[in-house]
Amino acid sequence: MQSLWIDFRRPSTVESIDVAWIAPNYWYNANSVQIFGYDDHDHLVGETTPVTLSKNFETTGALMFGVRYLEIRADRQFGWFGVDNLIVHTPPATVPVPGAFWLMATAATGLACSKKRKPA
């Protein structure tokens, strides 16, 4: 089967997608597609029923949560299809900042050393 794979790089929510033929008389048009969502460990987390394609883009509801990889699979080998308006909600990435901790520790050490010591 012909598939299109999308890697969102982190768990996301897939809401909907528009699919259609490439062109009305194109020999290699797929007749239908099915959409599958997989998590970080390649476990299936959701799928749609097969969607029959036509010359017009049709919106397909594909509400899936925790999707890392999305597969849009045609019904046959060399079956081509068009995709538009993929609605996905991806949470912002959290970036660890080890350098900031080092900077704070260095600044705190510098402040502690810069204080004048009182004579005994």
Side-chain angles (χ1 to χ4, degrees):
M1 299 294 165
Q2 178 96 353
S3 291
L4 169 66
W5 286 87
I6 302 169
D7 180 357
F8 298 119
R9 300 196 171 235
R10 57 187 170 273
S12 303
T13 300
V14 177
E15 198 170 294
S16 65
I17 186 170
D18 294 353
V19 290
W21 288 333
I22 292 292
N25 297 318
Y26 186 59
W27 177 258
Y28 293 107
N29 277 330
N31 296 313
S32 65
V33 295
Q34 192 169 4
I35 302 159
F36 301 90
Y38 302 91
D39 66 10
D40 287 332
H41 305 289
D42 296 327
H43 297 120
L44 184 67
V45 295
E47 64 184 284
T48 65
T49 58
V51 178
T52 302
L53 301 177
S54 69
K55 65 180 181 177
N56 300 317
F57 278 100
E58 299 290 333
T59 301
T60 301
L63 190 58
M64 298 179 211
F65 301 96
V67 175
R68 164 75 189 265
Y69 306 103
L70 189 70
E71 177 188 12
I72 306 167
R73 186 186 305 165
D75 62 335
R76 63 188 181 101
Q77 188 68 20
F78 306 113
W80 291 87
F81 52 88
V83 175
D84 196 15
N85 294 329
L86 175 60
I87 309 293
V88 177
H89 301 283
T90 304
T94 56
V95 180
V97 191
F101 294 118
W102 179 82
L103 183 62
M104 288 188 304
T106 304
T109 304
L111 286 174
C113 292
S114 69
K115 288 185 179 182
K116 294 183 180 178
R117 296 180 186 243
K118 294 182 181 179

PDB file of all heavy atoms in Angstrom, residues 36-75:
ATOM      1  N   PHE A  36      -4.213   6.466  10.274  1.00  0.00           N
ATOM      2  CA  PHE A  36      -3.805   5.765  11.482  1.00  0.00           C
ATOM      3  C   PHE A  36      -2.900   6.667  12.307  1.00  0.00           C
ATOM      4  O   PHE A  36      -2.038   7.355  11.754  1.00  0.00           O
ATOM      5  CB  PHE A  36      -3.042   4.478  11.138  1.00  0.00           C
ATOM      6  CG  PHE A  36      -3.818   3.510  10.300  1.00  0.00           C
ATOM      7  CD1 PHE A  36      -3.763   3.566   8.921  1.00  0.00           C
ATOM      8  CD2 PHE A  36      -4.609   2.547  10.898  1.00  0.00           C
ATOM      9  CE1 PHE A  36      -4.474   2.679   8.137  1.00  0.00           C
ATOM     10  CE2 PHE A  36      -5.338   1.652  10.126  1.00  0.00           C
ATOM     11  CZ  PHE A  36      -5.264   1.719   8.746  1.00  0.00           C
ATOM     12  N   GLY A  37      -3.060   6.650  13.631  1.00  0.00           N
ATOM     13  CA  GLY A  37      -2.198   7.404  14.536  1.00  0.00           C
ATOM     14  C   GLY A  37      -1.438   6.448  15.440  1.00  0.00           C
ATOM     15  O   GLY A  37      -2.011   5.488  15.957  1.00  0.00           O
ATOM     16  N   TYR A  38      -0.136   6.710  15.627  1.00  0.00           N
ATOM     17  CA  TYR A  38       0.722   5.869  16.458  1.00  0.00           C
ATOM     18  C   TYR A  38       1.413   6.726  17.513  1.00  0.00           C
ATOM     19  O   TYR A  38       1.741   7.888  17.260  1.00  0.00           O
ATOM     20  CB  TYR A  38       1.784   5.174  15.605  1.00  0.00           C
ATOM     21  CG  TYR A  38       1.210   4.316  14.510  1.00  0.00           C
ATOM     22  CD1 TYR A  38       0.973   4.839  13.242  1.00  0.00           C
ATOM     23  CD2 TYR A  38       0.892   2.980  14.736  1.00  0.00           C
ATOM     24  CE1 TYR A  38       0.438   4.057  12.234  1.00  0.00           C
ATOM     25  CE2 TYR A  38       0.357   2.194  13.727  1.00  0.00           C
ATOM     26  CZ  TYR A  38       0.133   2.733  12.472  1.00  0.00           C
ATOM     27  OH  TYR A  38      -0.399   1.962  11.478  1.00  0.00           O
ATOM     28  N   ASP A  39       1.679   6.150  18.676  1.00  0.00           N
ATOM     29  CA  ASP A  39       2.372   6.883  19.747  1.00  0.00           C
ATOM     30  C   ASP A  39       3.887   6.756  19.601  1.00  0.00           C
ATOM     31  O   ASP A  39       4.385   6.230  18.597  1.00  0.00           O
ATOM     32  CB  ASP A  39       1.894   6.422  21.135  1.00  0.00           C
ATOM     33  CG  ASP A  39       2.269   4.979  21.462  1.00  0.00           C
ATOM     34  OD1 ASP A  39       3.063   4.352  20.723  1.00  0.00           O
ATOM     35  OD2 ASP A  39       1.757   4.476  22.482  1.00  0.00           O
ATOM     36  N   ASP A  40       4.631   7.227  20.618  1.00  0.00           N
ATOM     37  CA  ASP A  40       6.101   7.187  20.598  1.00  0.00           C
ATOM     38  C   ASP A  40       6.664   5.785  20.441  1.00  0.00           C
ATOM     39  O   ASP A  40       7.794   5.614  19.993  1.00  0.00           O
ATOM     40  CB  ASP A  40       6.666   7.781  21.901  1.00  0.00           C
ATOM     41  CG  ASP A  40       6.525   9.283  21.950  1.00  0.00           C
ATOM     42  OD1 ASP A  40       6.504   9.912  20.876  1.00  0.00           O
ATOM     43  OD2 ASP A  40       6.433   9.829  23.062  1.00  0.00           O
ATOM     44  N   HIS A  41       5.915   4.782  20.857  1.00  0.00           N
ATOM     45  CA  HIS A  41       6.392   3.392  20.827  1.00  0.00           C
ATOM     46  C   HIS A  41       5.772   2.603  19.678  1.00  0.00           C
ATOM     47  O   HIS A  41       5.767   1.374  19.703  1.00  0.00           O
ATOM     48  CB  HIS A  41       6.089   2.715  22.167  1.00  0.00           C
ATOM     49  CG  HIS A  41       6.651   3.472  23.329  1.00  0.00           C
ATOM     50  ND1 HIS A  41       7.991   3.547  23.597  1.00  0.00           N
ATOM     51  CD2 HIS A  41       6.047   4.227  24.275  1.00  0.00           C
ATOM     52  CE1 HIS A  41       8.192   4.303  24.662  1.00  0.00           C
ATOM     53  NE2 HIS A  41       7.024   4.733  25.090  1.00  0.00           N
ATOM     54  N   ASP A  42       5.246   3.309  18.686  1.00  0.00           N
ATOM     55  CA  ASP A  42       4.624   2.706  17.502  1.00  0.00           C
ATOM     56  C   ASP A  42       3.381   1.874  17.809  1.00  0.00           C
ATOM     57  O   ASP A  42       3.036   0.961  17.070  1.00  0.00           O
ATOM     58  CB  ASP A  42       5.633   1.856  16.713  1.00  0.00           C
ATOM     59  CG  ASP A  42       6.762   2.685  16.138  1.00  0.00           C
ATOM     60  OD1 ASP A  42       6.501   3.850  15.789  1.00  0.00           O
ATOM     61  OD2 ASP A  42       7.888   2.185  16.049  1.00  0.00           O
ATOM     62  N   HIS A  43       2.703   2.185  18.906  1.00  0.00           N
ATOM     63  CA  HIS A  43       1.434   1.524  19.210  1.00  0.00           C
ATOM     64  C   HIS A  43       0.303   2.319  18.563  1.00  0.00           C
ATOM     65  O   HIS A  43       0.278   3.544  18.639  1.00  0.00           O
ATOM     66  CB  HIS A  43       1.200   1.436  20.723  1.00  0.00           C
ATOM     67  CG  HIS A  43       2.218   0.609  21.432  1.00  0.00           C
ATOM     68  ND1 HIS A  43       3.020   1.122  22.408  1.00  0.00           N
ATOM     69  CD2 HIS A  43       2.571  -0.686  21.286  1.00  0.00           C
ATOM     70  CE1 HIS A  43       3.827   0.188  22.860  1.00  0.00           C
ATOM     71  NE2 HIS A  43       3.577  -0.922  22.177  1.00  0.00           N
ATOM     72  N   LEU A  44      -0.644   1.617  17.990  1.00  0.00           N
ATOM     73  CA  LEU A  44      -1.794   2.256  17.365  1.00  0.00           C
ATOM     74  C   LEU A  44      -2.658   2.930  18.435  1.00  0.00           C
ATOM     75  O   LEU A  44      -3.059   2.285  19.398  1.00  0.00           O
ATOM     76  CB  LEU A  44      -2.627   1.213  16.603  1.00  0.00           C
ATOM     77  CG  LEU A  44      -3.819   1.733  15.821  1.00  0.00           C
ATOM     78  CD1 LEU A  44      -3.360   2.603  14.659  1.00  0.00           C
ATOM     79  CD2 LEU A  44      -4.644   0.561  15.297  1.00  0.00           C
ATOM     80  N   VAL A  45      -2.913   4.244  18.282  1.00  0.00           N
ATOM     81  CA  VAL A  45      -3.737   4.968  19.256  1.00  0.00           C
ATOM     82  C   VAL A  45      -5.066   5.426  18.657  1.00  0.00           C
ATOM     83  O   VAL A  45      -5.930   5.898  19.380  1.00  0.00           O
ATOM     84  CB  VAL A  45      -2.985   6.182  19.870  1.00  0.00           C
ATOM     85  CG1 VAL A  45      -1.811   5.717  20.688  1.00  0.00           C
ATOM     86  CG2 VAL A  45      -2.555   7.163  18.802  1.00  0.00           C
ATOM     87  N   GLY A  46      -5.210   5.309  17.351  1.00  0.00           N
ATOM     88  CA  GLY A  46      -6.468   5.691  16.724  1.00  0.00           C
ATOM     89  C   GLY A  46      -6.438   5.441  15.232  1.00  0.00           C
ATOM     90  O   GLY A  46      -5.382   5.358  14.629  1.00  0.00           O
ATOM     91  N   GLU A  47      -7.624   5.300  14.656  1.00  0.00           N
ATOM     92  CA  GLU A  47      -7.739   5.112  13.213  1.00  0.00           C
ATOM     93  C   GLU A  47      -9.117   5.571  12.755  1.00  0.00           C
ATOM     94  O   GLU A  47     -10.051   5.656  13.550  1.00  0.00           O
ATOM     95  CB  GLU A  47      -7.502   3.660  12.811  1.00  0.00           C
ATOM     96  CG  GLU A  47      -8.537   2.682  13.350  1.00  0.00           C
ATOM     97  CD  GLU A  47      -8.197   1.249  13.002  1.00  0.00           C
ATOM     98  OE1 GLU A  47      -8.405   0.856  11.836  1.00  0.00           O
ATOM     99  OE2 GLU A  47      -7.739   0.536  13.910  1.00  0.00           O
ATOM    100  N   THR A  48      -9.218   5.889  11.478  1.00  0.00           N
ATOM    101  CA  THR A  48     -10.503   6.254  10.895  1.00  0.00           C
ATOM    102  C   THR A  48     -11.014   5.070  10.073  1.00  0.00           C
ATOM    103  O   THR A  48     -10.270   4.144   9.772  1.00  0.00           O
ATOM    104  CB  THR A  48     -10.377   7.466   9.950  1.00  0.00           C
ATOM    105  OG1 THR A  48      -9.566   7.095   8.832  1.00  0.00           O
ATOM    106  CG2 THR A  48      -9.777   8.661  10.662  1.00  0.00           C
ATOM    107  N   THR A  49     -12.263   5.135   9.706  1.00  0.00           N
ATOM    108  CA  THR A  49     -12.778   4.176   8.729  1.00  0.00           C
ATOM    109  C   THR A  49     -12.256   4.614   7.360  1.00  0.00           C
ATOM    110  O   THR A  49     -11.858   5.776   7.195  1.00  0.00           O
ATOM    111  CB  THR A  49     -14.320   4.165   8.736  1.00  0.00           C
ATOM    112  OG1 THR A  49     -14.783   5.487   8.454  1.00  0.00           O
ATOM    113  CG2 THR A  49     -14.858   3.701  10.068  1.00  0.00           C
ATOM    114  N   PRO A  50     -12.245   3.741   6.371  1.00  0.00           N
ATOM    115  CA  PRO A  50     -11.792   4.165   5.031  1.00  0.00           C
ATOM    116  C   PRO A  50     -12.642   5.330   4.511  1.00  0.00           C
ATOM    117  O   PRO A  50     -13.859   5.350   4.680  1.00  0.00           O
ATOM    118  CB  PRO A  50     -11.985   2.907   4.179  1.00  0.00           C
ATOM    119  CG  PRO A  50     -11.888   1.784   5.157  1.00  0.00           C
ATOM    120  CD  PRO A  50     -12.525   2.308   6.422  1.00  0.00           C
ATOM    121  N   VAL A  51     -11.973   6.291   3.899  1.00  0.00           N
ATOM    122  CA  VAL A  51     -12.629   7.488   3.370  1.00  0.00           C
ATOM    123  C   VAL A  51     -12.578   7.422   1.850  1.00  0.00           C
ATOM    124  O   VAL A  51     -11.490   7.363   1.260  1.00  0.00           O
ATOM    125  CB  VAL A  51     -11.908   8.767   3.862  1.00  0.00           C
ATOM    126  CG1 VAL A  51     -12.552  10.005   3.277  1.00  0.00           C
ATOM    127  CG2 VAL A  51     -11.873   8.811   5.371  1.00  0.00           C
ATOM    128  N   THR A  52     -13.739   7.411   1.200  1.00  0.00           N
ATOM    129  CA  THR A  52     -13.804   7.379  -0.263  1.00  0.00           C
ATOM    130  C   THR A  52     -13.417   8.751  -0.806  1.00  0.00           C
ATOM    131  O   THR A  52     -13.933   9.778  -0.356  1.00  0.00           O
ATOM    132  CB  THR A  52     -15.222   6.996  -0.735  1.00  0.00           C
ATOM    133  OG1 THR A  52     -15.549   5.724  -0.170  1.00  0.00           O
ATOM    134  CG2 THR A  52     -15.293   6.919  -2.248  1.00  0.00           C
ATOM    135  N   LEU A  53     -12.505   8.758  -1.775  1.00  0.00           N
ATOM    136  CA  LEU A  53     -12.001  10.011  -2.339  1.00  0.00           C
ATOM    137  C   LEU A  53     -12.830  10.442  -3.544  1.00  0.00           C
ATOM    138  O   LEU A  53     -13.449   9.622  -4.215  1.00  0.00           O
ATOM    139  CB  LEU A  53     -10.546   9.839  -2.762  1.00  0.00           C
ATOM    140  CG  LEU A  53      -9.575   9.434  -1.658  1.00  0.00           C
ATOM    141  CD1 LEU A  53      -8.185   9.240  -2.229  1.00  0.00           C
ATOM    142  CD2 LEU A  53      -9.562  10.459  -0.546  1.00  0.00           C
ATOM    143  N   SER A  54     -12.813  11.739  -3.803  1.00  0.00           N
ATOM    144  CA  SER A  54     -13.463  12.306  -4.985  1.00  0.00           C
ATOM    145  C   SER A  54     -12.603  13.470  -5.471  1.00  0.00           C
ATOM    146  O   SER A  54     -11.531  13.730  -4.929  1.00  0.00           O
ATOM    147  CB  SER A  54     -14.875  12.789  -4.644  1.00  0.00           C
ATOM    148  OG  SER A  54     -14.811  13.919  -3.799  1.00  0.00           O
ATOM    149  N   LYS A  55     -13.074  14.193  -6.467  1.00  0.00           N
ATOM    150  CA  LYS A  55     -12.298  15.322  -6.996  1.00  0.00           C
ATOM    151  C   LYS A  55     -12.284  16.512  -6.034  1.00  0.00           C
ATOM    152  O   LYS A  55     -11.435  17.375  -6.139  1.00  0.00           O
ATOM    153  CB  LYS A  55     -12.835  15.745  -8.355  1.00  0.00           C
ATOM    154  CG  LYS A  55     -14.242  16.300  -8.311  1.00  0.00           C
ATOM    155  CD  LYS A  55     -14.706  16.701  -9.690  1.00  0.00           C
ATOM    156  CE  LYS A  55     -16.113  17.275  -9.613  1.00  0.00           C
ATOM    157  NZ  LYS A  55     -16.576  17.746 -10.905  1.00  0.00           N
ATOM    158  N   ASN A  56     -13.223  16.574  -5.096  1.00  0.00           N
ATOM    159  CA  ASN A  56     -13.302  17.670  -4.132  1.00  0.00           C
ATOM    160  C   ASN A  56     -12.698  17.248  -2.795  1.00  0.00           C
ATOM    161  O   ASN A  56     -12.898  16.121  -2.354  1.00  0.00           O
ATOM    162  CB  ASN A  56     -14.753  18.091  -3.912  1.00  0.00           C
ATOM    163  CG  ASN A  56     -15.416  18.553  -5.176  1.00  0.00           C
ATOM    164  OD1 ASN A  56     -14.826  19.283  -5.964  1.00  0.00           O
ATOM    165  ND2 ASN A  56     -16.635  18.099  -5.414  1.00  0.00           N
ATOM    166  N   PHE A  57     -11.999  18.156  -2.165  1.00  0.00           N
ATOM    167  CA  PHE A  57     -11.466  17.857  -0.835  1.00  0.00           C
ATOM    168  C   PHE A  57     -12.619  17.689   0.148  1.00  0.00           C
ATOM    169  O   PHE A  57     -13.516  18.530   0.214  1.00  0.00           O
ATOM    170  CB  PHE A  57     -10.533  18.969  -0.347  1.00  0.00           C
ATOM    171  CG  PHE A  57      -9.147  18.850  -0.904  1.00  0.00           C
ATOM    172  CD1 PHE A  57      -8.747  19.621  -1.972  1.00  0.00           C
ATOM    173  CD2 PHE A  57      -8.244  17.953  -0.351  1.00  0.00           C
ATOM    174  CE1 PHE A  57      -7.473  19.506  -2.484  1.00  0.00           C
ATOM    175  CE2 PHE A  57      -6.966  17.825  -0.849  1.00  0.00           C
ATOM    176  CZ  PHE A  57      -6.579  18.606  -1.925  1.00  0.00           C
ATOM    177  N   GLU A  58     -12.594  16.591   0.871  1.00  0.00           N
ATOM    178  CA  GLU A  58     -13.601  16.299   1.884  1.00  0.00           C
ATOM    179  C   GLU A  58     -12.929  16.289   3.249  1.00  0.00           C
ATOM    180  O   GLU A  58     -11.880  15.672   3.431  1.00  0.00           O
ATOM    181  CB  GLU A  58     -14.243  14.936   1.633  1.00  0.00           C
ATOM    182  CG  GLU A  58     -14.966  14.822   0.307  1.00  0.00           C
ATOM    183  CD  GLU A  58     -16.238  15.640   0.231  1.00  0.00           C
ATOM    184  OE1 GLU A  58     -16.843  15.884   1.295  1.00  0.00           O
ATOM    185  OE2 GLU A  58     -16.617  16.036  -0.878  1.00  0.00           O
ATOM    186  N   THR A  59     -13.540  16.975   4.222  1.00  0.00           N
ATOM    187  CA  THR A  59     -13.000  16.991   5.578  1.00  0.00           C
ATOM    188  C   THR A  59     -13.347  15.693   6.280  1.00  0.00           C
ATOM    189  O   THR A  59     -14.492  15.256   6.273  1.00  0.00           O
ATOM    190  CB  THR A  59     -13.557  18.179   6.380  1.00  0.00           C
ATOM    191  OG1 THR A  59     -13.202  19.391   5.709  1.00  0.00           O
ATOM    192  CG2 THR A  59     -12.993  18.198   7.790  1.00  0.00           C
ATOM    193  N   THR A  60     -12.336  15.089   6.860  1.00  0.00           N
ATOM    194  CA  THR A  60     -12.508  13.830   7.581  1.00  0.00           C
ATOM    195  C   THR A  60     -12.176  14.061   9.045  1.00  0.00           C
ATOM    196  O   THR A  60     -11.068  14.493   9.366  1.00  0.00           O
ATOM    197  CB  THR A  60     -11.548  12.761   7.009  1.00  0.00           C
ATOM    198  OG1 THR A  60     -11.841  12.610   5.630  1.00  0.00           O
ATOM    199  CG2 THR A  60     -11.700  11.450   7.721  1.00  0.00           C
ATOM    200  N   GLY A  61     -13.124  13.818   9.914  1.00  0.00           N
ATOM    201  CA  GLY A  61     -12.858  13.919  11.344  1.00  0.00           C
ATOM    202  C   GLY A  61     -11.959  12.769  11.766  1.00  0.00           C
ATOM    203  O   GLY A  61     -12.231  11.614  11.463  1.00  0.00           O
ATOM    204  N   ALA A  62     -10.869  13.103  12.438  1.00  0.00           N
ATOM    205  CA  ALA A  62      -9.909  12.064  12.821  1.00  0.00           C
ATOM    206  C   ALA A  62      -9.401  12.350  14.229  1.00  0.00           C
ATOM    207  O   ALA A  62      -8.204  12.446  14.452  1.00  0.00           O
ATOM    208  CB  ALA A  62      -8.745  12.046  11.830  1.00  0.00           C
ATOM    209  N   LEU A  63     -10.305  12.520  15.171  1.00  0.00           N
ATOM    210  CA  LEU A  63      -9.900  12.919  16.513  1.00  0.00           C
ATOM    211  C   LEU A  63      -9.094  11.804  17.182  1.00  0.00           C
ATOM    212  O   LEU A  63      -9.618  10.748  17.520  1.00  0.00           O
ATOM    213  CB  LEU A  63     -11.124  13.275  17.351  1.00  0.00           C
ATOM    214  CG  LEU A  63     -10.827  13.929  18.705  1.00  0.00           C
ATOM    215  CD1 LEU A  63     -10.017  15.210  18.522  1.00  0.00           C
ATOM    216  CD2 LEU A  63     -12.116  14.229  19.437  1.00  0.00           C
ATOM    217  N   MET A  64      -7.789  12.065  17.323  1.00  0.00           N
ATOM    218  CA  MET A  64      -6.872  11.102  17.942  1.00  0.00           C
ATOM    219  C   MET A  64      -5.955  11.866  18.888  1.00  0.00           C
ATOM    220  O   MET A  64      -5.490  12.946  18.557  1.00  0.00           O
ATOM    221  CB  MET A  64      -6.018  10.410  16.876  1.00  0.00           C
ATOM    222  CG  MET A  64      -6.776   9.600  15.881  1.00  0.00           C
ATOM    223  SD  MET A  64      -5.622   8.882  14.687  1.00  0.00           S
ATOM    224  CE  MET A  64      -6.653   8.829  13.247  1.00  0.00           C
ATOM    225  N   PHE A  65      -5.690  11.276  20.056  1.00  0.00           N
ATOM    226  CA  PHE A  65      -4.840  11.916  21.064  1.00  0.00           C
ATOM    227  C   PHE A  65      -3.529  11.150  21.229  1.00  0.00           C
ATOM    228  O   PHE A  65      -3.498   9.932  21.080  1.00  0.00           O
ATOM    229  CB  PHE A  65      -5.568  11.956  22.413  1.00  0.00           C
ATOM    230  CG  PHE A  65      -6.864  12.710  22.361  1.00  0.00           C
ATOM    231  CD1 PHE A  65      -8.065  12.049  22.186  1.00  0.00           C
ATOM    232  CD2 PHE A  65      -6.877  14.092  22.466  1.00  0.00           C
ATOM    233  CE1 PHE A  65      -9.267  12.731  22.122  1.00  0.00           C
ATOM    234  CE2 PHE A  65      -8.071  14.794  22.406  1.00  0.00           C
ATOM    235  CZ  PHE A  65      -9.268  14.114  22.239  1.00  0.00           C
ATOM    236  N   GLY A  66      -2.467  11.865  21.568  1.00  0.00           N
ATOM    237  CA  GLY A  66      -1.175  11.230  21.827  1.00  0.00           C
ATOM    238  C   GLY A  66      -0.513  10.679  20.576  1.00  0.00           C
ATOM    239  O   GLY A  66       0.235   9.711  20.636  1.00  0.00           O
ATOM    240  N   VAL A  67      -0.754  11.318  19.434  1.00  0.00           N
ATOM    241  CA  VAL A  67      -0.207  10.832  18.158  1.00  0.00           C
ATOM    242  C   VAL A  67       1.175  11.413  17.920  1.00  0.00           C
ATOM    243  O   VAL A  67       1.347  12.626  17.879  1.00  0.00           O
ATOM    244  CB  VAL A  67      -1.145  11.213  16.985  1.00  0.00           C
ATOM    245  CG1 VAL A  67      -0.535  10.822  15.653  1.00  0.00           C
ATOM    246  CG2 VAL A  67      -2.506  10.583  17.172  1.00  0.00           C
ATOM    247  N   ARG A  68       2.163  10.554  17.758  1.00  0.00           N
ATOM    248  CA  ARG A  68       3.518  10.983  17.379  1.00  0.00           C
ATOM    249  C   ARG A  68       3.684  10.846  15.870  1.00  0.00           C
ATOM    250  O   ARG A  68       4.239  11.694  15.205  1.00  0.00           O
ATOM    251  CB  ARG A  68       4.548  10.125  18.121  1.00  0.00           C
ATOM    252  CG  ARG A  68       5.973  10.171  17.564  1.00  0.00           C
ATOM    253  CD  ARG A  68       6.677  11.468  17.904  1.00  0.00           C
ATOM    254  NE  ARG A  68       7.939  11.594  17.216  1.00  0.00           N
ATOM    255  CZ  ARG A  68       9.118  11.248  17.720  1.00  0.00           C
ATOM    256  NH1 ARG A  68       9.207  10.753  18.920  1.00  0.00           N
ATOM    257  NH2 ARG A  68      10.207  11.424  17.012  1.00  0.00           N
ATOM    258  N   TYR A  69       3.205   9.718  15.315  1.00  0.00           N
ATOM    259  CA  TYR A  69       3.314   9.440  13.885  1.00  0.00           C
ATOM    260  C   TYR A  69       1.914   9.288  13.290  1.00  0.00           C
ATOM    261  O   TYR A  69       1.083   8.584  13.849  1.00  0.00           O
ATOM    262  CB  TYR A  69       4.080   8.141  13.636  1.00  0.00           C
ATOM    263  CG  TYR A  69       5.434   8.103  14.290  1.00  0.00           C
ATOM    264  CD1 TYR A  69       5.630   7.369  15.444  1.00  0.00           C
ATOM    265  CD2 TYR A  69       6.505   8.800  13.752  1.00  0.00           C
ATOM    266  CE1 TYR A  69       6.862   7.324  16.058  1.00  0.00           C
ATOM    267  CE2 TYR A  69       7.746   8.761  14.365  1.00  0.00           C
ATOM    268  CZ  TYR A  69       7.925   8.020  15.512  1.00  0.00           C
ATOM    269  OH  TYR A  69       9.144   7.989  16.117  1.00  0.00           O
ATOM    270  N   LEU A  70       1.689   9.945  12.174  1.00  0.00           N
ATOM    271  CA  LEU A  70       0.416   9.828  11.473  1.00  0.00           C
ATOM    272  C   LEU A  70       0.678   9.141  10.137  1.00  0.00           C
ATOM    273  O   LEU A  70       1.588   9.533   9.404  1.00  0.00           O
ATOM    274  CB  LEU A  70      -0.200  11.209  11.237  1.00  0.00           C
ATOM    275  CG  LEU A  70      -1.624  11.222  10.703  1.00  0.00           C
ATOM    276  CD1 LEU A  70      -2.586  10.745  11.782  1.00  0.00           C
ATOM    277  CD2 LEU A  70      -2.014  12.612  10.237  1.00  0.00           C
ATOM    278  N   GLU A  71      -0.102   8.114   9.839  1.00  0.00           N
ATOM    279  CA  GLU A  71       0.001   7.423   8.555  1.00  0.00           C
ATOM    280  C   GLU A  71      -1.305   7.627   7.799  1.00  0.00           C
ATOM    281  O   GLU A  71      -2.380   7.354   8.323  1.00  0.00           O
ATOM    282  CB  GLU A  71       0.232   5.923   8.759  1.00  0.00           C
ATOM    283  CG  GLU A  71       0.279   5.154   7.455  1.00  0.00           C
ATOM    284  CD  GLU A  71       0.307   3.649   7.627  1.00  0.00           C
ATOM    285  OE1 GLU A  71       0.066   3.156   8.747  1.00  0.00           O
ATOM    286  OE2 GLU A  71       0.528   2.955   6.618  1.00  0.00           O
ATOM    287  N   ILE A  72      -1.201   8.090   6.561  1.00  0.00           N
ATOM    288  CA  ILE A  72      -2.348   8.205   5.672  1.00  0.00           C
ATOM    289  C   ILE A  72      -2.109   7.163   4.584  1.00  0.00           C
ATOM    290  O   ILE A  72      -1.201   7.304   3.772  1.00  0.00           O
ATOM    291  CB  ILE A  72      -2.479   9.619   5.087  1.00  0.00           C
ATOM    292  CG1 ILE A  72      -2.501  10.653   6.216  1.00  0.00           C
ATOM    293  CG2 ILE A  72      -3.739   9.723   4.228  1.00  0.00           C
ATOM    294  CD1 ILE A  72      -2.319  12.073   5.754  1.00  0.00           C
ATOM    295  N   ARG A  73      -2.903   6.103   4.591  1.00  0.00           N
ATOM    296  CA  ARG A  73      -2.654   4.929   3.752  1.00  0.00           C
ATOM    297  C   ARG A  73      -3.695   4.818   2.630  1.00  0.00           C
ATOM    298  O   ARG A  73      -4.896   4.795   2.886  1.00  0.00           O
ATOM    299  CB  ARG A  73      -2.700   3.669   4.613  1.00  0.00           C
ATOM    300  CG  ARG A  73      -2.324   2.402   3.875  1.00  0.00           C
ATOM    301  CD  ARG A  73      -2.520   1.171   4.734  1.00  0.00           C
ATOM    302  NE  ARG A  73      -1.804   1.249   5.995  1.00  0.00           N
ATOM    303  CZ  ARG A  73      -2.038   0.433   7.024  1.00  0.00           C
ATOM    304  NH1 ARG A  73      -2.990  -0.499   6.948  1.00  0.00           N
ATOM    305  NH2 ARG A  73      -1.346   0.554   8.135  1.00  0.00           N
ATOM    306  N   ALA A  74      -3.206   4.722   1.390  1.00  0.00           N
ATOM    307  CA  ALA A  74      -4.081   4.515   0.235  1.00  0.00           C
ATOM    308  C   ALA A  74      -4.546   3.063   0.191  1.00  0.00           C
ATOM    309  O   ALA A  74      -3.938   2.190   0.797  1.00  0.00           O
ATOM    310  CB  ALA A  74      -3.336   4.868  -1.048  1.00  0.00           C
ATOM    311  N   ASP A  75      -5.608   2.836  -0.562  1.00  0.00           N
ATOM    312  CA  ASP A  75      -6.170   1.495  -0.653  1.00  0.00           C
ATOM    313  C   ASP A  75      -5.404   0.568  -1.599  1.00  0.00           C
ATOM    314  O   ASP A  75      -5.689  -0.614  -1.668  1.00  0.00           O
ATOM    315  CB  ASP A  75      -7.634   1.571  -1.094  1.00  0.00           C
ATOM    316  CG  ASP A  75      -7.795   2.185  -2.469  1.00  0.00           C
ATOM    317  OD1 ASP A  75      -6.916   2.958  -2.896  1.00  0.00           O
ATOM    318  OD2 ASP A  75      -8.814   1.898  -3.121  1.00  0.00           O
TER     319      ASP A  75
END
